[in-house]
Amino acid sequence: MPTTLEVKTPRFLTALPGPNAKRVLEQDAKFMSPSYTRDYPLVAKRGHAAIVEDVDGNTFLDFAAGIAVCSTGHCHPKVVAAIQKQAAELIHISGTDFYYESMPQLAERLATTMPGAESKKVFFTNSGTEAIEGAIKLARYATRRDKFIAFYGCFHGRSMGSLSLTASKSTQRRGFGALLSGIEHIPFPYAYRCAHGHSAETCGAEILEQLEGQIFKRLFDPEDVAGIIIEPIQGEGGYVPAPKFFLQELQRICRQHGIMFIVDEVQSGMGRTGKWWASEHAGIEPDILCSAKGIASGMPLGAIIARESVMRWGPGAHGTTFGGNPVCLAAALATMDLIDSEYKENAHRMGDYLFGRMADWTKNFKIVGDVRGRGLMIGIEIVRDQRTKERAADLRNLIVDLAFHKGLLVLGAGENTIRLSPPLLIDQEQAAFALRTLEDCLREAEKKI
């Protein structure tokens, strides 16, 4: 029987969920917080590359990658070796209070990926939401202002500051009382649903007019705004890319008023779109960039990368006990080597292959409203009617479940979008399997309307 290390596509030994999985599900229901969201009963035991094996020996092709975290695949040998070597030497000493070699090493590597002539500095965190929290503080510190502008549909995290910026689902806010004050949300340029009928390249001009003509005149004087934060491709919001001109104009507005231009690349960064950062496709230079997820192939790490003239807070202004842990940094250095040498280019190549094969899906499937994204960050929006664009969350959820039972792991995003965010190492055989599986699922789902 092939091992997990040898298979490249799914195989099943039991019905789903299997007997061992059912046992874990019962224990989970008894002891785990009910706040966790699970789309289907996958109980993972081991993984390698783009394959995940469950506790019953069933294997799945992973096109979710732990929510775009396992950028180099599951348990890449070079990442595992780096973790094991570091764990045997030094696990923790706290970079807030002491020095160790890998902190500036990784900081330099990250800084060199950022566009612009000005030098960059880095602060390490444990997660994306911590990176956003730190960016809020840094923007306030650098500008001596306290207001922020974010976008509807955005997801920046679940801790109280980042949650105040988040405007994805009301359930993420409901029940938690007052959040951070001084935050205003404006529409995101969602080309497929553009209220003014613009294309993917031109959607958003009216939003910029609203920002300058309404928000800055009626709510926040721009001289009081510390930062404007945006995802170049919304993640939780439905894998919606912002047009190139929109990001460029947003940067211009920020520069004009001394506002920090903050780019959240927690999900879209680290080679996922075929470049280090999705914002590179627009040719912009953020004042502050937040990273996490794919930065360390599954180890908990995030980073705030900022222009040197911005990151000038003094000792004690911000700190962390575990952020930049030596083991996580070792994983990140190995991850960057792999992304730089092969996986960034593979994300571009496999993305082109997938988009090429999906180009006719809106014609071939009446429930596919839109296919969008960049590289290996792809959103498929499911609708009940292409003319009215009525959202079909139930059909999206059905497709996600059907895919699981056919051996393909995908997740939803937004109200009615399927997100594809596989490890950056997938090959054409695996991409083709995922396409065939999704086509089968779409055909089955169409029978429900």
Side-chain angles (χ1 to χ4, degrees):
M1 180 182 297
T3 69
T4 304
L5 303 184
E6 297 170 331
V7 299
K8 290 176 62 178
T9 52
R11 61 176 169 80
F12 292 143
L13 301 180
T14 72
L16 300 178
N20 292 326
K22 288 180 179 178
R23 174 181 51 78
V24 176
L25 295 173
E26 292 174 0
Q27 185 180 26
D28 188 279
K30 184 175 181 180
F31 293 107
M32 293 302 300
S33 166
S35 63
Y36 290 99
T37 57
R38 276 72 171 259
D39 287 337
Y40 39 78
L42 171 71
V43 182
K45 181 175 183 179
R46 60 172 61 92
H48 177 77
I51 295 295
V52 173
E53 181 179 331
D54 75 4
V55 289
D56 293 290
N58 303 302
T59 60
F60 303 82
L61 178 60
D62 187 0
F63 261 54
I67 319 180
V69 167
C70 300
S71 51
T72 62
H74 295 277
C75 303
H76 193 289
K78 291 184 178 179
V79 175
V80 171
I83 291 170
Q84 290 173 333
K85 181 176 183 294
Q86 183 59 56
E89 293 177 355
L90 178 69
I91 292 177
H92 174 76
I93 195 169
S94 185
T96 292
D97 296 307
F98 304 99
Y99 300 91
Y100 44 94
E101 189 176 17
S102 56
M103 284 194 91
Q105 283 180 342
L106 181 59
E108 181 180 11
R109 291 286 301 275
L110 289 169
T112 59
T113 68
M114 291 283 289
E118 185 178 339
S119 296
K120 311 299 188 297
K121 287 189 178 292
V122 177
F123 182 95
F124 291 115
T125 69
N126 298 287
S127 64
T129 193
E130 285 187 23
I132 298 297
E133 295 281 352
I136 292 171
K137 291 177 66 178
L138 179 58
R140 282 185 165 189
Y141 192 97
T143 63
R144 295 299 191 261
R145 306 171 182 180
D146 67 344
K147 304 294 191 295
F148 287 88
I149 294 168
F151 291 84
Y152 291 120
C154 67
F155 181 87
H156 298 296
R158 287 186 171 90
S159 50
M160 292 301 277
S162 60
L163 181 62
S164 304
L165 296 172
T166 292
S168 177
K169 297 182 177 72
S170 61
T171 186
Q172 294 160 350
R173 288 169 161 243
R174 186 172 60 239
F176 298 114
L179 300 176
L180 195 66
S181 63
I183 293 174
E184 186 69 25
H185 289 85
I186 59 177
F188 187 87
Y190 193 163
Y192 176 64
R193 298 183 178 276
C194 182
H196 302 277
H198 292 302
S199 70
E201 291 75 34
T202 60
C203 179
E206 290 80 8
I207 298 170
L208 296 169
E209 291 174 4
Q210 176 187 350
L211 173 62
E212 295 188 285
Q214 298 294 326
I215 303 297
F216 284 169
K217 289 185 178 180
R218 301 181 187 278
L219 294 177
F220 296 158
D221 188 290
E223 301 303 313
D224 291 331
V225 178
I228 297 177
I229 183 167
I230 189 169
E231 298 164 276
I233 302 177
Q234 283 197 338
E236 174 76 12
Y239 275 30
V240 184
K244 177 179 178 179
F245 94 92
F246 187 88
L247 294 170
Q248 293 173 341
E249 280 297 291
L250 207 58
Q251 177 175 273
R252 179 193 63 79
I253 292 168
C254 288
R255 296 283 191 270
Q256 178 183 343
H257 297 290
I259 298 168
M260 293 293 100
F261 185 34
I262 307 169
V263 175
D264 180 344
E265 294 257 21
V266 169
Q267 188 160 175
S268 60
M270 299 309 295
R272 179 147 296 281
T273 65
K275 293 183 180 291
W276 278 113
W277 311 109
S279 53
E280 289 184 75
H281 295 281
I284 58 174
E285 182 186 353
D287 296 302
I288 302 170
L289 182 145
C290 296
S291 177
K293 288 192 183 293
I295 195 172
S297 297
M299 295 297 288
L301 184 67
I304 307 165
I305 312 168
R307 293 191 293 114
E308 186 175 17
S309 59
V310 172
M311 194 172 279
R312 291 190 176 275
W313 46 15
H318 197 50
T320 172
T321 299
F322 294 105
N325 172 275
V327 181
C328 298
L329 295 184
L333 285 165
T335 296
M336 289 196 73
D337 286 342
L338 290 162
I339 293 174
D340 199 28
S341 63
E342 54 185 317
Y343 294 152
K344 180 155 54 75
E345 174 57 32
N346 192 61
H348 172 74
R349 186 169 57 252
M350 287 296 99
D352 283 351
Y353 173 76
L354 286 164
F355 277 111
R357 287 280 304 272
M358 292 188 288
D360 293 330
W361 276 17
T362 55
K363 297 177 183 177
N364 296 339
F365 300 101
K366 57 188 176 182
I367 61 173
V368 175
D370 192 30
V371 178
R372 54 181 178 253
R374 283 189 182 273
L376 292 179
M377 188 173 186
I378 302 171
I380 307 162
E381 183 155 352
I382 305 301
V383 296
R384 198 168 305 281
D385 184 303
Q386 289 183 337
R387 183 182 59 83
T388 65
K389 300 182 181 180
E390 179 186 350
R391 300 177 191 270
D394 58 332
L395 296 180
R396 187 277 307 276
N397 296 342
L398 173 62
I399 293 165
V400 170
D401 187 66
L402 287 170
F404 166 66
H405 284 87
K406 296 177 187 296
L408 180 68
L409 306 180
V410 296
L411 291 171
E415 293 182 48
N416 58 308
T417 297
I418 300 164
R419 75 175 102 184
L420 306 183
S421 58
L424 306 186
L425 50 60
I426 60 164
D427 62 20
Q428 189 166 313
E429 178 186 350
Q430 292 170 321
F433 173 87
L435 289 166
R436 291 194 303 271
T437 302
L438 287 170
E439 287 171 341
D440 289 343
C441 295
L442 288 165
R443 280 189 284 268
E444 289 186 47
E446 281 192 336
K447 295 176 183 177
K448 302 295 182 180
I449 60 173

